[in-house]
Amino acid sequence: MSTSADRASTETTTKSAGTPSYKRRRRRIYAATGVVVVLVIALIVWAVTQGGSSGPAALPSFTVSVGQGSIATADGIIFSQPSLEKTIPAHLHMVPFDAGVTAIAEMRGGSVQSISGVGNPPVTAAIGNGTAVTVVFAQGFDADGLVVPKSITSVSQLAGKTVGVLVGSSEDYELEGYLALEHLTGKVKVVSFPSETAAGAAALSGAVFAAYVQGVPAADLIQQKGYHQLVDAEQIAKLGIPGIGVIAVATSVVNSDPTLVQDYVCAEVQATNDMTGPQADKYLTEAAGVQGVPANLVVTATKAYYPEIIPVGQQLYWLGSTLHDPTSRLVKAYQLTAKFLIGQGRLTTIPSAAQIASHVNISFLQKALAGGCPS
């Protein structure tokens, strides 16, 4: 006769016998595995949605190569003003360059996406050699001038004399072009130097008669030797030999991320207005910290450079009135530059006007001028 305790034991044994223990363990393993799979899927979905969002992790890198010197640039204004910098949808970096040719090579290699203030010869050579580069903004003329002894009052008096200049530069192109206009090619010996400082020092020592320089080298000649400036880059530009510092962006970025380029050009427009506007001293002083130059020097040097800055309202005068305009003043300047580069052995043929114009895109500037910029 069984007791209630015996019946309970029997029922328990019967139920346990109905579901073997190894199957129960397997169910628990399956259940745990299912939870893990669900968690992994959830993590993958979260990572994908985060990576595809507009958050900081999704922003592209955008490196701007900026010419060194004591004159503030629009890019210096951008990088020193967080409110303006954040309007550009990218992780921004600024690196200095000494030579435009080097900066172009870095762009070709992919480490630089934009070059600020690059001159005629590097851009023209890049176009002639098939480098994918696009001009989107014109910043200004060179600030150089032909600094000569007081006794020289006419350029014709330089016949038989020597003039020092920075080798292979926009300045070199301007001087050679100006001498050609004055029918002095071959009559004035142009002596090349690795830097404007070296060209100025050679004139100071008497190794050359005059120099085509700017800034400190020009000031030293004027103050120490009583020299004066016979003609400057802006005057030469108006004669049809413009040396223009431009913003050149990698064409791959123009094609792949036009919104980024548009916002960058908009920031350049605002920065250009800021650096010459009523609060210029404030913006120039703050830009000095970014450029690593004493503030008082930047303010003085930049204000002296004001006449060479191309105002926003004159951009299309130089870049063209229509998209890829083969008759623009910049295209003509680059064709003249190509002749200069052929003489130097850096190009073998002159690119056609249409070929050069295809590397100039004014659409971003036009939109900016029409009010199509972030507020």
Side-chain angles (χ1 to χ4, degrees), residues 307-325:
E308 278 67 55
I309 293 174
I310 296 177
V312 171
Q314 293 183 17
Q315 290 286 317
L316 299 180
Y317 174 85
W318 294 101
L319 298 183
S321 56
T322 59
L323 183 63
H324 307 312
D325 183 0

Side-chain angles (χ1 to χ4, degrees), residues 144-145 147 163-166 191-222 224-225 227:
D144 294 73
V147 185
V163 180
V165 70
L166 175 62
V191 182
S192 298
F193 289 90
S195 69
E196 290 198 17
T197 300
L204 273 175
S205 69
V208 295
F209 185 75
Y212 191 74
V213 289
Q214 65 170 312
V216 174
D220 286 345
L221 285 168
I222 292 169
Q224 296 182 36
K225 297 196 70 172
Y227 278 31

Side-chain angles (χ1 to χ4, degrees), residues 25-263:
R25 288 196 298 271
R26 184 178 298 168
R27 287 173 181 171
R28 288 195 293 271
I29 291 171
Y30 289 163
T33 301
V35 172
V36 171
V37 170
V38 170
L39 287 172
V40 169
I41 292 173
L43 287 170
I44 291 173
V45 171
W46 178 84
V48 169
T49 56
Q50 289 299 306
S53 72
S54 58
L59 295 178
S61 178
F62 191 75
T63 299
V64 182
S65 189
V66 181
Q68 298 187 76
S70 58
I71 296 173
T73 65
D75 292 272
I77 303 295
I78 293 170
F79 279 83
S80 63
Q81 300 299 319
S83 61
L84 186 55
E85 183 178 3
K86 72 179 183 181
T87 65
I88 303 172
H91 292 296
L92 299 181
H93 308 279
M94 186 169 73
V95 296
F97 75 83
D98 289 314
V101 173
T102 303
I104 289 288
E106 291 172 343
M107 176 178 283
R108 193 162 48 240
S111 61
V112 164
Q113 285 70 55
S114 177
I115 309 173
S116 174
V118 62
N120 292 31
V123 177
T124 304
I127 292 171
N129 292 324
T131 299
V133 60
T134 299
V135 174
V136 297
F137 196 81
Q139 289 185 312
F141 304 107
D142 291 323
D144 294 73
L146 182 54
V147 185
V148 300
K150 281 288 187 184
S151 59
I152 302 298
T153 58
S154 169
V155 67
S156 61
Q157 293 174 279
L158 290 176
K161 304 292 193 301
T162 54
V163 180
V165 70
L166 175 62
V167 62
S169 61
S170 289
E171 293 80 7
D172 197 349
Y173 146 77
E174 290 158 11
L175 177 62
E176 298 269 12
Y178 175 63
L179 293 175
L181 287 176
E182 296 293 334
H183 309 290
L184 290 170
T185 299
K187 298 177 183 178
V188 177
K189 183 178 181 181
V190 177
V191 182
S192 298
F193 289 90
S195 69
E196 290 198 17
T197 300
L204 273 175
S205 69
V208 295
F209 185 75
Y212 191 74
V213 289
Q214 65 170 312
V216 174
D220 286 345
L221 285 168
I222 292 169
Q223 293 169 10
Q224 296 182 36
K225 297 196 70 172
Y227 278 31
H228 72 114
Q229 185 170 275
L230 187 65
V231 65
D232 63 25
E234 184 181 12
Q235 292 170 312
I236 293 174
K238 291 177 179 177
L239 292 173
I241 313 291
I244 302 175
V246 302
I247 292 177
V249 177
T251 303
S252 59
V253 179
V254 173
N255 293 335
S256 67
D257 200 343
T259 299
L260 167 58
V261 178
Q262 180 63 68
D263 290 344

